[in-house]
Structures are given as structure tokens and as C-alpha cells.
Amino acid sequence: MLSPGDRAGVFNTATCLTANRCPAAQHDRCHRTVAHRPAVTQEDIGRHPARIERPSLPYTLHPGTRTVVLGQALPPRDRHNLAHVPAITLRSPENPAERY
């Protein structure tokens, strides 16, 4: 069974192109769906930190790339939520106390 198009921001990156284990039909589905996603705006991203009780979380949105870079380390649960709800690529500083 095929999954929805890529929501993790991996499609067509070096990771996707060199380590792709997806069947051709899945790759085609990502190719068709990812290109048609609407651009992510500051407003789209801005409302999510409050949902994880971090309303003043510093971040930078790189327009046109669906990539957000956080200004502080977060626990995996919060990073996962911030990345997957709006379907963005999330970069975060490493948390030295985290082994994940």
C-alpha cells in the first residue's frame, strides 16, 4: 500500500536520491504531490509553537524551501509535532542530554 506524498521534506533531496528504497509508484506519488503543496508562510509556522506551549520559540523560516531552523533545542516529541503538522523540514540544535 502506498503512503501519501512525502511529508518529511525528504523528497528529491540527496537522502532521497541516494538512499531511496521506495517503490517506483511511491516515488511517482511524491513527485506529483510535493510540487503542488502551497508555500509555507510565517503565519502557518507561527501558530504551532504555542500548541506545544512554547509561544516564544525562536525560529527562521526559509521561504520556498519548507524548511524551518529552530533557535533552541527541543525534545523529540516537540520537534516531531512541529515538523509533521505543517509538513516541513525542521532543523534544530542538538540537545546534549538527548541520546535519540
Side-chain angles (χ1 to χ4, degrees):
M1 179 167 166
L2 298 177
S3 297
D6 174 41
R7 290 186 49 83
V10 175
F11 178 72
N12 222 20
T13 64
T15 300
C16 173
L17 299 174
T18 60
N20 184 359
R21 303 268 191 263
C22 299
Q26 180 66 49
H27 191 77
D28 290 343
R29 179 174 285 186
C30 288
H31 179 73
R32 286 191 315 274
T33 60
V34 170
H36 299 289
R37 286 198 179 123
V40 176
T41 66
Q42 287 288 347
E43 293 77 25
D44 294 331
I45 303 305
R47 66 183 140 226
H48 289 286
R51 290 182 182 170
I52 62 166
E53 298 178 3
R54 296 178 188 269
S56 60
L57 178 69
Y59 68 89
T60 302
L61 169 63
H62 293 270
T65 65
R66 300 184 73 86
T67 299
V68 172
V69 178
L70 298 180
Q72 70 184 54
L74 290 178
R77 180 185 76 163
D78 292 341
R79 287 194 317 259
H80 178 79
N81 183 288
L82 288 174
H84 288 280
V85 171
I88 60 170
T89 300
L90 187 69
R91 306 279 185 240
S92 174
E94 183 177 335
N95 182 343
E98 179 185 310
R99 293 178 39 193
Y100 177 68

